[in-house]
């Protein structure tokens, strides 16, 4: 790799100190490296009229070999969503406390850069989800997620009644605080906190995990990646509507009410992740968990 672009979390690298150190190191090795410009607005429009929230992809040179995402898992997720159309490999550099997606920790940055320069790496494709929310069969919103799509309650502290359909056929219902539909990559995120299983990120599966379900037999459901999942917001007795919110990778969201639904399936889009460490997923997991 010869040409790099750095995306950073300014809260974790406020003075751009780490980003500048990486840039200087790569330049000293005869490579090219650009640091993203600071955002002026929470949501903006790039030079070519492209909407973005975190990274203006029009500022990323066409011949970029690798995007370095500095911060944590959230930074990497944001970078993946903004740059997905470019299909540029991403490497996460963790500047926080615990990161499952950001493979490289601060002490190993120079070693990782040498691996990139020396072609000692692999590029792995990670599946993504796409979800489309509907109100009375009218599309409300459509977005993608690398980690998960979460349907959770908002407003009054009442449980949600959620009906699950697979390829149009009714499967089951949950009375719960919400539900998480995750990729294997997202299995170490919110799904794990809700009691879901850890899945090898290179697998092609979809996991459905209820959040605080009001039943004794609620468990995660593991599904093949070619299934279409429909989640319908049920109705409650009384005068109140169920008010819910579908959130994509903890970022974009849409409000849902009774009888609204969201259809989730595997996206045709993928995230390309750089893998440097030649160790198994189990070892990575053990090392991360022992940090707690």
């Amino acid at each position: 790799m010869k040409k790099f672009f750095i995306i950073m979390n300014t809260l974790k690298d406020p003075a751009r100190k780490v980003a500048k150190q990486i840039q200087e190191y790569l330049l000293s090795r005869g490579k090219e490296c650009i640091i993203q410009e600071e955002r002026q607005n929470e949501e903006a429009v790039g030079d070519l009229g492209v909407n973005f929230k975190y990274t203006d992809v029009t500022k990323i040179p066409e011949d970029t070999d690798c995007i370095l995402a500095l911060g944590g898992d959230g930074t990497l997720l944001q970078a993946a969503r903004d740059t997905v159309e470019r299909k540029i490999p991403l490497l996460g550099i963790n500047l926080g406390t615990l990161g499952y997606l950001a493979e490289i920790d601060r002490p190993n940055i120079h070693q990782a850069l040498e691996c990139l320069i020396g072609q000692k790496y692999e590029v792995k494709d990670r599946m993504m989800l796409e979800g489309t929310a509907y109100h009375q069969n009218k599309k409300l919103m459509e977005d993608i997620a690398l980690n998960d799509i979460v349907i959770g309650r908002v407003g009054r502290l009442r449980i949600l009644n959620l009906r699950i359909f697979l390829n149009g056929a009714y499967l089951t219902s949950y009375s719960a605080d919400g539900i998480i539909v995750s990729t294997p990559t997202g299995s170490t995120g919110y799904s794990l906190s809700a009691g879901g299983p850890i899945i090898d990120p290179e697998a092609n599966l979809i996991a459905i995990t209820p959040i605080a379900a009001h039943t004794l037999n609620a468990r995660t459901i593991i599904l093949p990646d070619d299934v279409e999942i429909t989640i319908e917001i049920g109705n409650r007795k009384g005068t109140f509507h169920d008010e819910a919110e579908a959130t994509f990778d903890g970022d974009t969201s849409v409000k849902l009410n009774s009888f609204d639904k969201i259809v989730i399936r595997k996206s045709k889009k993928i995230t390309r992740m750089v893998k440097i460490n030649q160790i198994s997923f189990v070892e990575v997991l053990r090392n991360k968990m022992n940090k707690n």
Side-chain angles (χ1 to χ4, degrees):
M1 291 183 171
K2 297 180 180 179
K3 299 184 178 182
F4 301 85
F5 188 89
I6 295 177
I7 295 172
M8 83 198 86
N9 182 333
T10 54
L11 295 177
K12 295 183 178 179
D13 190 19
R16 299 157 70 94
K17 180 179 178 180
V18 178
K20 290 178 180 177
Q21 288 175 345
I22 291 174
Q23 183 184 49
E24 290 172 2
Y25 185 86
L26 289 170
L27 292 176
S28 72
R29 299 285 280 108
K31 310 305 175 184
E32 297 180 24
C33 182
I34 297 173
I35 301 175
Q36 73 169 358
E37 298 176 3
E38 292 190 41
R39 288 183 295 117
Q40 300 299 318
N41 304 307
E42 193 63 24
E43 187 165 0
V45 178
D47 290 345
L48 300 180
V50 179
N51 289 317
F52 67 96
K53 288 186 70 66
Y54 304 99
T55 302
D56 183 356
V57 294
T58 65
K59 302 292 187 182
I60 304 176
E62 290 291 337
D63 55 354
T64 297
D65 295 315
C66 182
I67 294 173
L68 304 175
L70 277 62
D73 286 357
T75 308
L76 187 57
L77 288 172
Q78 293 165 4
R81 286 159 53 81
D82 274 342
T83 67
V84 65
E85 300 289 352
R86 298 291 298 276
K87 298 181 180 179
I88 301 171
L90 288 144
L91 178 66
I93 297 177
N94 182 31
L95 303 182
T97 54
L98 180 67
Y100 284 96
L101 301 182
E103 180 180 347
I104 304 302
D105 293 321
R106 192 189 296 254
N108 301 317
I109 292 177
H110 286 174
Q111 180 182 351
L113 295 177
E114 284 300 320
C115 288
L116 296 178
I117 294 170
Q119 309 297 322
K120 298 177 181 178
Y121 63 87
E122 296 180 272
V123 177
K124 301 288 187 179
D125 292 343
R126 300 283 185 91
M127 68 169 282
M128 303 181 78
L129 298 173
E130 65 177 33
T132 307
Y134 295 93
H135 173 70
Q136 297 180 349
N137 293 321
K138 180 181 179 181
K139 184 188 294 187
L140 296 174
M141 176 187 177
E142 186 176 46
D143 207 347
I144 57 174
L146 172 60
N147 252 13
D148 51 41
I149 299 173
V150 178
I151 296 88
R153 65 185 185 184
V154 294
R156 296 167 62 91
L157 296 179
R158 296 175 288 107
I159 62 174
L160 295 173
N161 293 320
L162 302 166
R163 305 180 69 206
I164 314 299
F165 300 82
L166 301 182
N167 295 330
Y170 173 74
L171 174 65
T172 189
S173 296
Y174 290 114
S175 294
D177 287 356
I179 197 166
I180 304 164
V181 181
S182 72
T183 65
T185 298
S187 71
T188 53
Y190 192 6
S191 178
L192 178 62
S193 300
I198 295 172
I199 305 172
D200 190 306
E202 294 182 34
N204 287 296
L205 301 169
I206 300 175
I208 300 178
T209 301
I211 306 169
H214 291 233
T215 178
L216 296 177
N217 60 355
R219 296 290 184 270
T220 297
I221 301 172
I222 303 295
L223 301 167
D225 66 350
D226 60 352
V227 70
E228 180 182 88
I229 302 164
T230 301
I231 301 174
E232 181 182 281
I233 311 301
N235 191 24
R236 287 179 57 90
K237 295 180 180 179
T239 59
F240 295 105
H241 289 292
D242 278 353
E243 188 176 51
E245 185 175 42
T247 306
F248 299 75
D249 277 342
D251 183 15
T252 54
S253 63
V254 60
K255 292 291 181 62
L256 301 169
N257 286 299
S258 295
F259 307 115
D260 289 350
K261 64 182 180 181
I262 181 167
V263 179
I264 301 171
R265 60 178 66 88
K266 179 181 178 180
S267 175
K268 294 180 180 179
K269 299 175 182 179
I270 59 170
T271 295
R272 307 188 72 207
M273 303 275 282
V274 176
K275 180 176 175 56
I276 290 176
N277 294 325
Q278 299 301 312
I279 59 177
S280 69
F281 171 68
V282 174
E283 187 173 350
V284 171
L285 184 64
R286 184 177 68 246
N287 293 337
K288 295 289 186 181
M289 295 180 71
N290 286 340
K291 290 183 179 182
N292 289 335

